[in-house]
Amino acid sequence: MREHVADPSTHQYPSNRGRPGFREAVAGFYDRRFGVTLDPESEIIPALGAKEAVANVNLAFLDPGDVALASDPGYPVYTTGPLLAGAEPVPMPLLAELGFQPDLEAIPAEVARRARIMFLNYPNNPTGGVVDDGFFERAVEFARRHDVIVVHDNAYSEITYDGYRAPSFLETPGAVDVGIEIFSLSKTYNMTGWRAGAVVGNRELVGAYWQLKTNIDSGMFEALQEASAAALRSDQSSVADMCAIYQRRRDVLVAALRRIGLRVDPPKGAIYVWARVPDGETSASFTERVLEEAAVVISPGAAYGPSGEGFVRMSLTVPDERLNEAAERISSLVETSP
Ligand SMILES: Cc1ncc(COP(=O)(O)O)c(C=O)c1O
């Protein structure tokens, strides 16, 4: 990044299509990592982070009255984005007993008829759920049957544990006919503040996305495109090192929560632990108690959608020492409770 910031040619208005070097680096990464072939000319557009892409996808593809099927619990922009586009977000419950995957057969026919977009996200925020064999295939089939665009938010594919390898949605046969994927460099390379990602997949949809963006923003800083390309082309050892750190923190936190009797499964991906609250508590009451009595901030599951009720989300993005302290404080709080 330093090198490219010093180069005056990176300071002009960028093109929204992105530098060829950036698009080629994304294509190379998708090929090496997922075995997915993308045409850098027509199937890749830089995004100013996945959030920008998730929000703008709604403006690009939804008309008032359309339905957007949104994972519930889910990243909040899957519901606020459709509302800003005048459309209707309809939650698809992600239940623990179904592996945090929506039951596509349970979507009412009338909703499926009006649906235009389906937001999916694996590894999942906030549940830590990962995709089971066959689910993406079912999503492609649903999309074909109901003429729905699948938007797979792939913010966490590189943050996985215990040797688990997360797939790209675009690995699924037929996926490129029905959808796009949003990739982010934020978590993968610890670049959250840099605002770097990409929208990839179906060329018509990527083209429509570009058409919207060219009327909204002026593209990604070209020095950042070069830095992002360098990260994507690197040997990825930094990503493995970071996952090992998260996995260590995950294990500390899960062990502490289990000691106090909370029911929690260690996630295979993403950077959160999703735990059931103790019997008799709601997600809000337990969050409040942990804040008031242990002075630790956690998130109530219901903040991510109605199906998050009964759960809390804890983040692994604090240094080990602080995380260990938080785990200890939470354990002593529940141990001393009547
Ligand atoms: C599921 C999901 N999508 C998108 C984002 C935003 O990513 P970015 O920093 O690339 O905008 C996040 C960040 O927390 C997320 O959890």
Side-chain angles (χ1 to χ4, degrees):
M1 182 61 155
R2 275 205 201 110
E3 210 174 283
H4 288 284
V5 165
D7 171 2
S9 81
T10 64
H11 290 250
Q12 64 204 0
Y13 276 119
S15 134
N16 255 310
R17 289 196 186 278
R19 284 193 159 195
F22 173 85
R23 285 183 270 124
E24 279 155 19
V26 173
F29 179 89
Y30 261 71
D31 181 28
R32 284 188 303 280
R33 171 64 179 82
F34 301 118
V36 167
T37 305
L38 293 170
D39 174 10
E41 286 299 313
S42 60
E43 295 177 334
I44 301 172
I45 292 286
L48 309 180
K51 188 176 195 177
E52 176 262 295
V54 170
N56 277 333
V57 148
N58 293 288
L59 300 179
F61 302 125
L62 294 177
D63 288 323
D66 284 347
V67 157
L69 297 165
S71 298
D72 158 36
Y75 187 58
V77 189
Y78 307 149
T79 45
T80 54
L83 289 173
L84 289 171
E88 184 190 344
V90 172
M92 296 186 295
L94 306 186
L95 305 178
E97 50 276 27
L98 296 181
F100 297 116
Q101 278 156 153
D103 178 358
L104 301 179
E105 297 307 315
I107 296 169
E110 169 58 13
V111 170
R113 195 185 56 73
R114 288 171 50 216
R116 183 77 187 116
I117 286 184
M118 175 191 287
F119 284 113
L120 299 174
N121 162 229
Y122 294 100
N124 183 258
N125 173 15
T127 66
V130 295
V131 71
D132 275 351
D133 281 351
F135 177 72
F136 279 159
E137 283 78 358
R138 292 200 294 284
V140 167
E141 202 271 319
F142 181 94
R144 280 214 175 106
R145 194 160 17 115
H146 298 289
D147 194 17
V148 166
I149 299 166
V150 176
V151 178
H152 181 236
D153 179 351
N154 193 21
Y156 294 102
S157 61
E158 306 316 296
I159 313 296
T160 57
Y161 313 116
D162 306 325
Y164 171 72
R165 178 195 161 281
S168 159
F169 171 64
L170 298 175
E171 289 176 37
T172 316
V176 77
D177 299 331
V178 297
I180 51 175
E181 183 156 273
I182 298 171
F183 185 76
S184 170
L185 283 86
S186 286
K187 327 286 174 167
T188 314
Y189 305 109
N190 249 331
M191 289 168 62
T192 51
W194 299 46
R195 316 312 303 134
V199 173
V200 304
N202 182 281
R203 75 182 54 194
E204 275 166 37
L205 300 174
V206 168
Y209 188 77
W210 167 79
Q211 197 168 31
L212 177 84
K213 258 179 86 69
T214 192
N215 287 287
I216 292 185
D217 66 55
S218 296
M220 190 195 295
F221 180 28
E222 295 205 332
L224 175 54
Q225 293 190 44
E226 294 294 340
S228 300
L232 290 164
R233 287 198 201 101
S234 69
D235 68 9
Q236 309 300 306
S237 55
S238 64
V239 184
D241 293 347
M242 192 170 59
C243 288
I245 293 171
Y246 286 138
Q247 185 169 320
R248 190 170 68 222
R249 293 180 192 160
R250 174 200 73 166
D251 291 343
V252 166
L253 190 56
V254 166
L257 296 174
R258 282 180 171 168
R259 265 200 305 281
I260 60 173
L262 294 197
R263 280 172 294 156
V264 54
D265 291 321
K268 285 206 188 99
I271 49 180
Y272 313 101
V273 168
W274 184 245
R276 280 183 201 275
V277 299
D279 290 343
E281 299 264 14
T282 64
S283 63
S285 72
F286 187 62
T287 302
E288 197 174 328
R289 208 172 128 219
V290 172
L291 176 63
E292 294 294 336
E293 297 175 27
V296 176
V297 177
I298 60 175
S299 309
Y304 302 91
S307 300
E309 181 50 54
F311 290 85
V312 286
R313 194 194 80 165
M314 301 179 197
S315 169
L316 302 174
T317 57
V318 286
D320 286 22
E321 212 178 296
R322 288 293 276 168
L323 187 104
N324 293 346
E325 186 185 335
E328 266 170 37
R329 285 203 225 157
I330 294 173
S331 347
S332 57
L333 152 80
V334 180
E335 273 161 11
T336 56
S337 66

